[in-house]
Amino acid sequence: MPKTDAPDDVSRTDGAKKQEAPAKPGGDLGKDAFLKLLVAQLKYQDPMKPMDNSEFLAQTAQFTTVEKLSDLATMEQSLLTAQLQLGASNLIGKTVAYTDQDGKEQSGVVTAAAFSGTSPTLRVGDKDVALSAVKEVRGPAS
């Protein structure tokens, strides 16, 4: 089998070819895939018929848009995480009702909030409770 120079054709030392992960369903392409397509298009274009300047500028603008949308999604995730952390910290000292792992309704006073990962956890008594498990919040414990 002849070796090709196609962009997604990566040879390994054992002769097998490494396949790239397929695109997401629905035609979603990330910025890396978009950039690879643009580079491949430039690499394999006919030198006697180069790409039209306006077409190249349009593709560059599309790449910039894809990159900025990706940055925006990352920023939104950061804001959501910060909002969840703020919400969890505001529950300290309040009584919450939650569903435990056995599906039973429990309640107690929140004494602390932990922020590991994207979902905060609350310390209620001697248990750690996911913020998403809280069903009701009551005023400060008296």
Side-chain angles (χ1 to χ4, degrees):
M1 183 161 70
K3 182 174 176 5
T4 64
D5 289 333
D8 62 348
D9 210 9
V10 179
S11 293
R12 296 187 331 201
T13 55
D14 62 359
K17 295 195 181 192
K18 177 183 167 189
Q19 295 294 320
E20 299 227 355
K24 296 176 186 174
D28 288 348
L29 290 177
K31 63 182 181 179
D32 293 334
F34 188 87
L35 187 58
K36 284 180 184 179
L37 286 172
L38 183 61
V39 168
Q41 185 177 6
L42 291 172
K43 183 176 179 181
Y44 294 108
Q45 75 178 338
D46 183 357
M48 303 309 263
K49 296 180 187 173
M51 184 187 305
D52 181 29
N53 283 342
S54 61
E55 185 179 335
F56 179 73
L57 287 174
Q59 288 180 349
T60 304
Q62 288 173 345
F63 174 71
T64 302
T65 302
V66 167
E67 189 173 31
K68 294 301 178 189
L69 286 174
S70 176
D71 292 345
L72 183 62
T74 301
M75 181 62 70
E76 283 181 354
Q77 182 60 47
S78 296
L79 288 172
L80 176 62
T81 300
Q83 188 175 15
L84 288 172
Q85 291 174 344
L86 180 64
S89 64
N90 283 334
L91 294 177
I92 295 174
K94 296 188 178 177
T95 302
V96 295
Y98 62 94
T99 306
D100 67 10
Q101 294 174 344
D102 299 328
K104 295 164 103 178
E105 288 288 323
Q106 303 285 339
S107 66
V109 177
V110 177
T111 58
F115 309 120
S116 59
T118 57
S119 180
T121 56
L122 305 172
R123 189 74 174 166
V124 180
D126 62 348
K127 294 188 167 76
D128 288 329
V129 178
L131 182 61
S132 59
V134 174
K135 303 296 180 201
E136 182 182 353
V137 179
R138 297 182 208 118
S142 47

